[in-house]
Amino acid sequence: LFCNDHLTCGANADATFTYSQVPLVASEARAAYDLLTKNNTSLAGREELNRTITEWFTSRRGGFDQTRSEVPVIVNAPGTGKTTLLLSLATALEILISSDDTSEKRPVVVAFTYNTDMAESIPHKLLWPDADEDQRIKRCVALRMLYGALRSMGCSGVKTWPEVLMNLQAGGLAAAIQDPAWALRILEAWFGTEREFVVAADELLKGVTERKEAATTKQIATQLHSLMDYSGRHVILSAMDASLINSGMSNRQPLFLPFGHLEYADVEAHMKTTLEMDPTKMPTAENAWKLRAIYAMSSGHARTLSKIVRAVKTTATSDTRDNKRKPPLDSIIAARFWGSLPGRSEGRRRFT
């Protein structure tokens, strides 16, 4: 169902978290997000954030009632860095578990989304016509978990999400899909029974408003944070909706996590390289101003930064008035610079 060749896909006890293959990030934005894997990348408030997640993890390991453990939640508007923070936290938690003396093996990371590489909706009414709403919600979450785990754990030959959905319909395999707890049992069969799980779910609100796989984000969130009732199963949620935790039916409370952003020093080399500049050389005064303007427009958020840099490069390379090839920033004069940026009206107000 999921891989071109199940014998060679690598879903086994030796598989480890592979950041570069998580399905949360579109390929064109990968370079910007990859900054988070570098040791010198600085997120504002990173120390406080790491301390918060470490204390949360320690409390779960220290015998705290698993059914009352808080759920780490990232909530904010679009383009404000939710996915960036979610990936950073999943990576940090994976390292925490791997370095813990009581952990024999590295955890299985189950990172999935309702966006980007997994944007296509599951045709749940067609796949499970006799199931009720609650059953279909459970099966949709379970299916996304399985696919997200295979991608996150670096398995090879994993099919695209649309291919998986097509095969699920054509092959009559939908009846086998059950619920998130069942999905973890399947993952234990694939990756080993002695491993902990880090479930990182992104864009839950889109699962409701765009994918139509649930009526509320609470329905999706409950399916996920209920997995935390057992030790060794850790869940982090991200959405634009603050009403994630079903407090009326659960002892759990949300642990809202603070936001951070990339510092200019961390993204300067990336911007220069993308815009065909020598990252080792000092830019001209005008180009230095342009680089700073690009960073300011992004507010230090990886996805926004990537979009702006691509827009600048596209605008520059599409300008054929000068036959002599110049680096993108050099080919855009200051007077036309704002016109090449997304959200330019807001940016012009900020800098004039």
Side-chain angles (χ1 to χ4, degrees), residues 3-23:
C3 299
N4 293 319
D5 186 346
H6 71 280
L7 295 177
T8 61
C9 79
N12 54 49
D14 296 324
T16 57
F17 177 44
T18 305
Y19 174 92
S20 61
Q21 292 190 33
V22 294

Side-chain angles (χ1 to χ4, degrees), residues 226-246:
S226 63
L227 299 172
M228 293 170 57
D229 289 353
Y230 303 91
S231 63
R233 298 177 178 183
H234 316 287
V235 177
I236 308 173
L237 305 177
S238 169
M240 292 181 285
D241 183 1
S243 303
L244 281 171
I245 309 303
N246 196 349

Side-chain angles (χ1 to χ4, degrees), residues 129-201:
D130 298 328
D132 60 30
E133 180 187 21
D134 185 57
Q135 290 172 326
R136 289 198 295 267
I137 292 170
K138 291 177 179 179
R139 293 172 186 180
C140 286
V141 173
L143 184 62
R144 287 185 181 271
M145 286 175 61
L146 293 177
Y147 182 80
L150 289 170
R151 287 281 301 273
S152 303
M153 296 302 287
C155 296
S156 60
V158 179
K159 298 174 183 177
T160 66
W161 178 245
E163 288 174 337
V164 169
L165 296 182
M166 186 180 301
N167 292 344
L168 194 64
Q169 296 177 67
L173 302 172
I177 308 298
Q178 297 182 29
D179 57 27
W182 167 85
L184 288 190
R185 292 195 296 272
I186 296 298
L187 293 177
E188 285 180 332
W190 289 349
F191 297 107
T193 57
E194 303 301 321
R195 305 177 73 167
E196 296 188 36
F197 289 93
V198 176
V199 180

Side-chain angles (χ1 to χ4, degrees), residues 246-300:
N246 196 349
S247 56
M249 299 174 60
S250 170
N251 293 322
R252 301 196 185 279
Q253 294 297 321
L255 174 62
F256 291 109
L257 299 171
F259 268 67
H261 65 276
L262 296 169
E263 300 292 347
Y264 178 80
D266 300 314
V267 300
E268 183 181 23
H270 165 69
M271 289 191 293
K272 286 180 176 179
T273 302
T274 305
L275 297 172
E276 301 174 21
M277 301 168 67
D278 187 337
T280 64
K281 292 183 178 180
M282 289 288 293
T284 64
E286 181 173 312
N287 280 350
W289 174 85
K290 292 175 183 176
L291 290 172
R292 284 283 181 179
I294 291 172
Y295 170 76
M297 287 288 291
S298 75
S299 299

